[in-house]
């Protein structure tokens, strides 16, 4: 069976990672959450004090970017636990503090250059599912399958709110809505690698789809490509 690259892009909280993980497991492919890498750089900037009062010291972050080491390691049943400079940060990067700042960090061309280089290296052997905002347009423009995921903002907010609320009951629905819609706006309008649908991407609007319906649709696309 042929090994391919599966690039999944789309709006915030459309369930890209959930789908990507299911596909990687079924196909025995590597899964890479590129958003987690941008979130890790944002956490690094916060921890180093490069962000105060929501202001990012761009020069300080760029001159220290070589000191950021991001790794996905296997831990127990989970093959993709995120480590930032040898510290496990998987849940820290999901909080609202990082979510509210990540699009600012992700707009910096110097940050993107470093992470895209790393992402391409991970895909050299194919057999990879990567999700993000620029995977089918910039990172792997020749990916055999490109999926562009979307859903209504209300549906996406409800899903993310439920996920965050399970860990932290102080989360406010309107704050999650504001975060999702403002990230979409920033990600789609930035100069470097904006979120756009690749010309050859297949659109998956999952507002009214269950996870299993969505999985069946995508697996049918994949079967046609790998057989
Ligand atoms: O999980 P969610 O869809 O909310 O976001 P994410 O995939 O964790 O990505 C977080 C942020 O990282 C996005 O809002 C973008 O600003 C940035 N990002 C990016 O610029 N390029 C990527 N390939 C992936 C994420």
């Amino acid at each position: 069976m042929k090994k391919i690259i599966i690039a999944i892009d789309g709006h915030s909280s459309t369930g890209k990672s959930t789908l990507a993980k299911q596909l990687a497991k079924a196909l025995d492919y590597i899964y890479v959450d590129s958003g987690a890498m941008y979130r890790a750089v944002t956490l690094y900037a916060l921890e180093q004090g490069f962000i105060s009062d929501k202001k990012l010291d761009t020069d300080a972050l760029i001159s220290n970017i070589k000191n950021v080491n991001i790794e996905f390691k296997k831990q127990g049943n989970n093959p993709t636990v995120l480590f930032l400079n040898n510290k496990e940060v998987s849940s820290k990067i999901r909080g609202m503090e990082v979510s509210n700042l990540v699009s600012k960090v992700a707009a910096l061309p110097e940050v993107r250059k470093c992470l895209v280089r790393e992402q391409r290296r991970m895909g050299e052997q194919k057999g990879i599912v990567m999700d993000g905002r620029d995977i089918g347009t910039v990172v792997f423009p020749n990916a055999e399958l490109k999926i562009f995921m979307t859903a209504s903002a209300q549906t996406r907010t409800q899903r993310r709110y439920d996920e965050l609320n399970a860990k932290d009951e102080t989360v406010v629905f309107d704050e999650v809505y504001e975060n999702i819609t403002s990230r979409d706006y920033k990600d789609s309008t930035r100069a470097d690698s904006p979120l756009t649908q690749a010309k050859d991407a297949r659109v998956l609007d999952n507002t009214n789809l269950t996870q299993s319906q969505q999985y069946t649709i995508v697996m049918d696309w994949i079967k046609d490509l790998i057989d």
Side-chain angles (χ1 to χ4, degrees):
M1 237 179 242
K2 198 171 121 194
K3 280 201 169 189
I4 62 169
I5 294 182
I6 302 173
I8 305 181
D9 292 303
H11 293 114
S12 304
S13 299
T14 40
K16 297 180 295 294
S17 315
T18 306
L19 174 66
K21 274 185 207 160
Q22 288 173 331
L23 299 178
K25 193 164 178 225
L27 299 162
D28 198 19
Y29 277 18
I30 297 167
Y31 162 58
V32 177
D33 176 352
S34 71
M37 299 170 75
Y38 290 94
R39 287 174 180 271
V41 175
T42 307
L43 179 63
Y44 172 82
L46 274 165
E47 289 183 343
Q48 296 296 310
F50 299 158
I51 304 177
S52 64
D53 271 349
K54 295 189 180 158
K55 278 228 154 62
L56 168 66
D57 183 343
T58 325
D59 292 343
L61 176 59
I62 292 167
S63 55
N64 281 280
I65 196 78
K66 57 187 176 306
N67 301 322
V68 181
N69 178 44
I70 297 168
E71 282 174 291
F72 292 99
K73 294 188 199 170
K74 188 171 161 55
Q75 211 172 54
N77 279 339
N78 189 344
T80 52
V81 180
L82 185 75
F83 285 76
L84 166 64
N85 293 338
N86 291 317
K87 248 183 34 215
E88 204 266 288
V89 293
S90 315
S91 61
K92 246 188 179 172
I93 59 161
R94 300 281 153 208
M96 288 308 291
E97 195 180 21
V98 169
S99 294
N100 284 331
L101 294 160
V102 61
S103 290
K104 206 175 261 186
V105 170
L108 299 174
E110 294 83 354
V111 171
R112 304 203 70 81
K113 209 171 139 203
C114 280
L115 297 190
V116 168
R117 191 188 309 126
E118 191 58 21
Q119 290 154 7
R120 287 191 179 136
R121 199 189 51 72
M122 295 187 233
E124 271 165 8
Q125 309 296 319
K126 299 209 176 187
I128 188 168
V129 189
M130 192 177 291
D131 76 305
R133 301 293 186 286
D134 60 341
I135 311 306
T137 49
V138 175
V139 181
F140 299 124
N142 298 320
E144 288 83 354
L145 177 60
K146 299 180 187 178
I147 303 172
F148 188 88
M149 287 177 72
T150 191
S152 76
Q154 190 69 22
T155 304
R156 293 187 281 128
T157 305
Q158 189 65 53
R159 290 178 189 154
R160 183 53 57 97
Y161 172 79
D162 291 344
E163 186 187 318
L164 290 168
N165 188 252
K167 289 184 219 146
D168 172 9
E169 286 181 3
T170 63
V171 173
V172 179
F173 186 91
D174 288 351
E175 199 191 331
V176 178
Y177 181 87
E178 160 62 22
N179 175 259
I180 283 178
T181 49
S182 74
R183 267 196 298 131
D184 283 346
Y185 178 74
K186 283 183 201 139
D187 294 343
S188 308
T189 54
R190 68 183 175 215
D192 188 350
S193 316
L195 167 66
T196 47
Q197 188 188 318
K199 280 199 293 292
D200 48 350
R202 303 183 199 209
V203 178
L204 189 64
D205 182 334
N206 63 20
T207 310
N208 296 308
L209 289 179
T210 64
Q211 276 185 22
S212 93
Q213 288 169 326
Q214 161 176 288
Y215 177 76
T216 307
I217 294 171
V218 177
M219 270 316 235
D220 281 344
W221 292 342
I222 294 172
K223 277 179 201 140
D224 282 347
L225 293 165
I226 61 176
D227 274 346

